[in-house]
Amino acid sequence: MNNELYEKNIRIIEKRWPEYLEGIRNPDNVNGISCEVIEEEGRLIPRVMRDGKTYSLSSAYSDEVIVDRWAEFVNLNVYEAVIFLFGLGTGIYVKKLLEKADEAGEENVSILVFEPDAVIIGELFRHFDLSGVLSDERVTLDIGSLNEDLLRNWTKSHVSYNNIRNAGSAYYINYPRIYPEIRKQYDHDVEYLLTDYYGNTGFKRSMSKTVYSNTLDNIRKMADSLSIESLVSAVPKDMPVFLVSSGPSLSGNIQELKRAKGKGLIIAVDSALGVFDKAGLIPDIYVTIDPEKQEENFSFDWIPEVPAVVGMSSPEFVIKEGQPYYMLCPYDNYTGRFIVDHSKGAPYHVLISGGGSVATWAFSLARAMGAKTLVFVGQDLAYTGDKAHAAGVAVDDDAMLYTVDDTDIYGEPIRSSRQLISYRKWFEHAIAECEDLEAFDATEGGAYIKGTKVITLKEVIDRYCTKDRDLAEMFSRSEPLFDEEERKEYYELLGDVPEKMGEIIRNARKLISNYDKMEKAIRSGNFTGDRLRKLMASGKKLSDEIEENPAFTYIDMLNSDSEINIEENINNKDSDSEKDFINMCELGREHTGNILRSAEKVKKDFSENIDLK
């Protein structure tokens, strides 16, 4: 035992993570393990005992060889990488990652090392010098039993829309065997946080201004939308529904899909429309929600004839002159709230939603229609044949640069991505919740979707497409979303937006002044006085009034990037209380200033650019 070495390691902990000190010095052995370090042939070998089994944290021969092989196996891209390493051990694995980053000249790599409990660390600190890796600012130590919130907070502050594709997990030797339950939960938590960021925060940050611009273009068109409720009521519940995506396998069986025309409902996603055109087949209806979809996806002569389900934030060009369409709108949108309160067809327009993909939205639409038999086609959710999409898809996609493994319909490994896997899991969860749904995967390739029956497209058409359907008559029963009185009320609602922006502008100016007074009180030494408390209460009231304004959703579209940056700065606040308050005033003033400028823009846009005639 080396007390000097132990204290050297402890000093790093005291400097960087003082909250861990007591837990490391006096660990609570919640996982029932013991740890020892033995010497064999001049080498120190750490061993962990649990449930009568012994696990070595070092190779019996050469740690260098094992670590080099491990580094090749994990194959993590160190360029601006975000790495979740399960297990600190003797530090050799995190050291190897840092060396790879240094060799690549990459300073922006971020490594979160998760140690399930403090028992192993406390023992290894006495025998191994970990001060070098733990003092590296690129490394953060997360001791699971001592800090339950670090994983979420670290992910939030280190993952960005630009580096999320370079995020990956790796495991120290034998840690998954020592902690199988914790490893499973940890993997789940990491995947959830990354998926949540990609589908929510990252989406808001990357597309917020596009969403606003498109919404402004489409807001008038909502008044001319058809009612999804009337469509849903017209769809026969015994009719098979084919959900057609643009996966690479679609090129192989789309000709077979022609046999389902007029016998089942064919719903296409927007990126598959080019494949349909190339095959000489027209879908019965298509779905598009992406705010940045490419116009060439909708450049075919037959597009105006086909009913479309569009998002309110879809590009303006997706709706052609004279084309029948059903417009979806988020519930928390200003328009969405009006639809819920006033329109007979409300629920379907605001409650149909999906897991971040146009295909998942199409699935939700099919379920809203009461589909009992649903057939996936072109739903590879993987890079079948090392391709991202079917031939004929208009897409600029570099997703295949960042791949992970999944399992295909034959039980074999297949290249995929974290994003595609998150969609697969969404489908699996949704299918599991539908007790009355019979789901078939007739993609004939791609990842296996749990809950589906794998079948060829020919077989499913032979079995279920046995009756002729008059789909033109079915769609002709669609009614307008608004009657004349509702349309008039909707226009009045939009006409009120400039006035509501005026209310937000006045409150924002008051709130900025309030932050100025708060900072002045703090700097003058009146840090805990009644005046400061009154100013804080006044600030909260003003802030609540701003965010509770029903038209604030338009500001939120424009201001989401600023809001996310403010949240990240707050997560990294100073430990000094007075500095915290001053920082809060500065950030609050900055955020409110962004709200003020956004409100002025929205007021101008609605006053000058929205034709309500």
Side-chain angles (χ1 to χ4, degrees):
M1 182 183 299
N2 188 329
N3 287 331
E4 183 177 340
L5 189 58
Y6 179 83
E7 291 301 326
K8 181 181 181 181
N9 289 318
I10 283 292
R11 282 194 294 272
I12 303 299
I13 298 296
E14 186 175 19
K15 180 181 179 180
R16 297 197 63 195
W17 306 287
E19 66 272 19
Y20 292 165
L21 278 175
E22 178 59 28
I24 292 175
R25 291 189 184 277
N26 300 289
D28 183 9
N29 194 356
V30 295
N31 294 303
I33 69 168
S34 60
C35 181
E36 66 178 9
V37 177
I38 63 172
E39 185 172 350
E40 289 184 357
E41 298 181 359
R43 296 175 60 240
L44 295 178
I45 308 293
R47 303 193 306 182
V48 176
M49 284 68 70
R50 185 181 188 188
D51 299 332
K53 296 181 179 180
T54 300
Y55 305 92
S56 175
L57 301 185
S58 290
S59 165
Y61 303 101
S62 169
D63 284 334
E64 287 297 324
V65 172
I66 293 298
V67 172
D68 286 340
R69 289 178 180 173
W70 171 85
E72 293 176 5
F73 176 74
V74 296
N75 194 29
L76 292 175
N77 185 348
V78 295
Y79 177 70
E80 292 192 358
V82 178
I83 300 170
F84 299 84
L85 178 60
F86 189 82
L88 173 63
T90 63
I92 55 174
Y93 286 60
V94 66
K95 182 180 179 181
K96 173 58 68 173
L97 290 172
L98 292 171
E99 287 175 355
K100 287 184 68 177
D102 290 339
E103 290 169 4
E106 181 53 55
E107 297 181 356
N108 294 327
V109 62
S110 300
I111 304 172
L112 180 65
V113 183
F114 178 77
E115 185 68 32
D117 62 41
V119 174
I120 295 178
I121 286 181
E123 181 61 24
L124 298 191
F125 269 15
R126 304 178 191 279
H127 301 274
F128 297 90
D129 185 356
L130 285 81
S131 60
V133 294
L134 293 180
S135 61
D136 194 305
E137 293 294 331
R138 293 171 292 180
V139 177
T140 300
L141 178 63
D142 178 8
I143 303 180
S145 60
L146 303 181
N147 192 337
E148 295 181 354
D149 298 324
L150 180 59
L151 175 60
R152 175 176 292 278
N153 292 337
W154 187 88
T155 303
K156 192 172 185 179
S157 61
H158 285 77
V159 172
S160 71
Y161 191 76
N162 294 323
N163 69 15
I164 190 169
R165 283 180 168 176
N166 291 350
S169 296
Y171 309 94
Y172 193 101
I173 185 173
N174 276 331
Y175 265 73
R177 297 173 66 192
I178 299 169
Y179 301 104
E181 305 90 353
I182 296 176
R183 178 264 178 99
K184 183 177 180 181
Q185 183 61 47
Y186 186 73
D187 284 349
H188 175 272
D189 292 345
V190 169
E191 181 179 336
Y192 172 81
L193 289 170
L194 293 176
T195 301
D196 181 67
Y197 183 93
Y198 196 97
N200 294 290
T201 309
F203 176 84
K204 285 178 69 178
R205 171 172 278 167
S206 65
M207 295 189 178
S208 58
K209 291 179 175 58
T210 303
V211 167
Y212 172 78
S213 176
N214 291 352
T215 298
L216 209 64
D217 290 337
N218 289 327
I219 200 165
R220 167 70 174 73
K221 295 179 180 178
M222 177 58 84
D224 297 319
S225 172
L226 295 171
S227 165
I228 293 180
E229 183 181 47
S230 61
L231 172 63
V232 166
S233 62
V235 175
K237 304 307 180 238
D238 65 338
M239 180 167 59
V241 175
F242 294 82
L243 197 166
V244 187
S245 297
S246 60
S249 295
L250 181 60
S251 301
N253 62 2
I254 191 167
Q255 292 295 338
E256 188 70 38
L257 189 61
K258 291 180 178 180
R259 296 176 52 233
K261 188 70 174 173
K263 299 178 182 295
L265 180 65
I266 301 176
I267 304 176
V269 306
D270 46 18
S271 56
L273 297 178
V275 188
F276 274 83
D277 185 72
K278 188 176 180 180
L281 177 62
I282 298 176
D284 299 314
I285 188 170
Y286 67 85
V287 180
T288 179
I289 59 166
D290 188 344
E292 295 186 337
K293 208 67 188 176
Q294 295 168 298
E295 187 168 5
E296 56 196 290
N297 283 284
F298 310 93
S299 61
F300 312 110
D301 293 341
W302 46 267
I303 287 289
E305 306 169 12
V306 180
V309 176
V310 304
M312 197 171 191
S313 60
S314 296
E316 184 181 22
F317 56 71
V318 304
I319 300 174
K320 307 300 182 182
E321 183 70 29
Q323 182 178 15
Y325 63 88
Y326 309 81
M327 185 170 285
L328 301 173
C329 179
Y331 170 69
D332 59 357
N333 181 286
Y334 187 52
T335 301
R337 293 172 184 171
F338 172 84
I339 293 174
V340 167
D341 292 338
H342 294 80
S343 172
K344 298 182 292 295
Y348 297 102
H349 286 263
V350 300
L351 297 181
I352 291 178
S353 62
S357 155
V358 64
T360 56
W361 283 69
F363 178 94
S364 296
L365 173 65
R367 284 301 294 163
M369 293 174 173
K372 299 288 193 297
T373 304
L374 192 146
V375 185
F376 291 108
V377 183
Q379 195 65 57
D380 290 74
L381 296 172
Y383 302 129
T384 306
D386 285 335
K387 293 182 175 64
H389 294 89
V393 175
V395 64
D396 180 16
D397 198 332
D398 62 353
M400 287 185 63
L401 297 175
Y402 311 93
T403 62
V404 295
D405 283 343
D406 203 356
T407 303
D408 70 10
I409 59 174
Y410 307 107
E412 299 296 327
I414 190 170
R415 293 174 70 197
S416 184
S417 70
R418 178 175 289 107
Q419 185 180 9
L420 292 175
I421 289 175
S422 74
Y423 297 154
R424 172 178 59 74
K425 291 187 175 182
W426 187 94
F427 279 123
E428 291 174 347
H429 177 75
I431 291 169
E433 289 188 335
C434 302
E435 295 181 358
D436 61 341
L437 176 67
E438 192 171 18
F440 295 94
D441 185 356
T443 296
E444 301 182 40
Y448 174 64
I449 305 171
K450 184 179 179 181
T452 64
K453 298 176 182 177
V454 178
I455 192 172
T456 67
L457 185 55
K458 180 181 185 305
E459 288 176 303
V460 79
I461 292 174
D462 287 344
R463 187 183 305 176
Y464 291 97
C465 293
T466 58
K467 185 187 300 185
D468 290 330
R469 313 276 184 172
D470 190 346
L471 296 180
E473 189 278 331
M474 181 189 78
F475 283 112
S476 71
R477 284 185 263 162
S478 292
E479 300 173 355
L481 173 62
F482 296 147
D483 60 26
E484 286 307 312
E485 185 61 30
E486 290 167 343
R487 178 192 293 264
K488 180 181 177 182
E489 291 179 7
Y490 177 60
Y491 286 160
E492 290 174 354
L493 176 87
L494 299 181
D496 289 342
V497 171
E499 180 182 342
K500 294 188 181 301
M501 288 301 112
E503 296 171 3
I504 291 175
I505 290 169
R506 289 189 292 273
N507 281 335
R509 288 172 176 161
K510 290 179 184 178
L511 184 54
I512 290 172
S513 175
N514 197 78
Y515 281 123
D516 290 339
K517 294 174 183 177
M518 285 175 61
E519 183 174 350
K520 184 177 179 180
I522 294 167
R523 292 186 182 279
S524 67
N526 190 9
F527 180 55
T528 58
D530 289 340
R531 175 163 173 71
L532 182 60
R533 284 193 288 271
K534 289 179 180 178
L535 286 170
M536 291 180 67
S538 174
K540 184 179 186 309
K541 184 173 183 294
L542 287 167
S543 181
D544 289 345
E545 288 179 5
I546 289 172
E547 295 191 7
E548 290 171 4
N549 188 303
F552 183 77
T553 53
Y554 298 118
I555 293 174
D556 197 33
M557 292 177 193
L558 283 171
N559 207 44
S560 61
D561 187 50
S562 165
E563 180 183 354
I564 293 164
N565 286 328
I566 294 293
E567 290 174 354
E568 290 177 351
N569 285 328
I570 289 173
N571 286 335
N572 295 301
K573 63 183 181 181
D574 197 287
S575 59
D576 181 270
S577 297
E578 184 173 342
K579 289 181 180 178
D580 282 350
F581 273 98
I582 293 174
N583 185 49
M584 179 193 72
C585 292
E586 293 172 348
L587 294 174
R589 192 161 44 231
E590 176 188 345
H591 182 47
T592 308
N594 290 328
I595 289 175
L596 176 59
R597 287 184 288 275
S598 296
E600 290 170 341
K601 174 175 174 51
V602 174
K603 182 179 180 180
K604 183 175 185 292
D605 287 341
F606 272 79
S607 298
E608 299 178 2
N609 301 327
I610 303 296
D611 181 10
L612 301 179
K613 296 180 182 179

